[in-house]
Amino acid sequence: MEAILLSNGKTSGDAELLGYAKKQILTVLASRKVSKAILIPYALIRSDYDDRARDLEKSLGISVTSIHHFDKPAEAIEQAECIIISGGNTWMLNQMLHEKDLIVPIQRAVREREVPYIGWSAGCNVACPSIRTTNDMPVRSSVVLPSLGLFPVQINPHYIDAHLSGHMGESRDERIAEFCAVNPTESVVALREGSLLQISGNTLSYFSAKDQGFKIFRHGQEITEHFDTTALNSLVPFTCS
């Protein structure tokens, strides 16, 4: 499997989309001889699908076509050299993946044909077993349908542990702790801005453009921060490094 799961599409100061992870992405594209990709942009609500495809073409140097141009989306996935899933609203994205019957075709493409998968924010979240750890409002549906399940642990992208002055609502840590209390057998990996998890073959690695760690949340256990994936050894079927 080749998958790059990014917390976000840009960091402060980035001129290009996915700029902070360009080295990792281009290495995968080159190793797989990828010249074109299918963009799944259903998470976008106030942005143009084709504009997002053009941004990716400019950044990655390959041809990128939005899946909405295909009459039969599932068949497009079956022929894809690379699958890119944009950030945006996770609820909208997951609902559309089900409505367009794309869950199984994407799973088979990534797992069986080893088609590279690149997803950030919402595109990272849908790679998990469910979208229950998204930060987004359920604008499309209040039903939590299964996601792609390419990564076996829930991820919380855009993780931030800063406390805003005057904010009286729950912090992100408190929200994730609530998830773990309701789902005590599950863990959550919290990815900060500018960071990613990469699956290459059977190896799982971590990268942060800001040299920051990721956090692991478990019910009844202390929150821990890590700078490599060895802490995930007991949670994932991959070789952690």
Side-chain angles (χ1 to χ4, degrees):
M1 184 188 299
E2 291 287 347
I4 300 180
L5 309 178
L6 306 101
S7 178
N8 54 298
K10 282 186 176 183
T11 58
S12 178
D14 275 345
E16 295 180 310
L17 185 61
L18 304 180
Y20 74 89
K22 195 169 180 177
K23 179 180 178 180
Q24 288 82 356
I25 295 172
L26 293 184
T27 298
V28 169
L29 298 182
S31 68
R32 296 287 173 166
K33 298 181 180 179
V34 172
S35 62
K36 59 184 178 179
I38 297 293
L39 168 66
I40 300 178
Y42 298 138
L44 298 175
I45 295 177
R46 295 180 297 142
S47 299
D48 183 80
Y49 290 177
D50 290 325
D51 284 346
R52 181 58 49 89
R54 284 189 286 270
D55 287 343
L56 287 165
E57 287 184 333
K58 181 179 178 181
S59 179
L60 304 181
I62 60 173
S63 173
V64 180
T65 304
S66 172
I67 200 167
H68 79 281
H69 288 294
F70 295 89
D71 293 331
K72 297 180 179 180
E75 290 186 7
I77 294 298
E78 292 172 1
Q79 303 299 319
E81 293 182 10
C82 177
I83 298 168
I84 302 177
I85 302 191
S86 173
N89 187 277
T90 315
W91 293 87
M92 173 70 80
L93 171 60
N94 200 48
Q95 188 76 19
M96 292 293 287
L97 290 178
H98 282 273
E99 290 182 5
K100 299 292 185 179
D101 294 320
L102 290 176
I103 295 292
V104 172
I106 294 173
Q107 291 172 332
R108 295 188 64 178
V110 176
R111 290 173 174 162
E112 297 174 16
R113 293 199 293 120
E114 297 188 344
V115 172
Y117 177 103
I118 301 167
W120 69 92
S121 189
C124 171
N125 226 170
V126 294
C128 302
S130 77
I131 65 167
R132 289 169 297 154
T133 48
T134 179
N135 306 307
D136 299 328
M137 292 183 178
V139 299
R140 182 65 172 81
S141 174
S142 60
V143 178
V144 183
L145 296 167
S147 297
L148 296 169
L150 303 175
F151 188 75
V153 183
Q154 290 295 133
I155 294 173
N156 177 245
H158 298 287
Y159 172 74
I160 184 171
D161 52 7
H163 294 275
L164 301 178
S165 177
H167 176 65
M168 302 305 293
E170 287 81 358
S171 67
R172 185 72 58 83
D173 283 13
E174 289 170 328
R175 287 298 191 194
I176 299 175
E178 289 175 344
F179 171 87
C180 292
V182 175
N183 304 279
T185 63
E186 298 190 57
S187 302
V188 179
V189 176
L191 289 182
R192 300 179 187 277
E193 300 285 72
S195 64
L196 61 89
L197 289 169
Q198 180 172 0
I199 305 166
S200 184
N202 193 48
T203 300
L204 176 67
S205 58
Y206 171 74
F207 169 75
S208 168
K210 299 181 178 181
D211 295 321
Q212 296 177 315
F214 64 90
K215 288 187 177 181
I216 300 176
F217 290 75
R218 297 185 181 95
H219 180 60
Q221 298 186 32
E222 181 181 355
I223 301 169
T224 56
E225 186 162 2
H226 308 272
F227 292 84
D228 61 61
T229 61
T230 54
L232 298 173
N233 266 321
S234 63
L235 302 176
V236 300
F238 310 112
T239 300
C240 297
S241 62

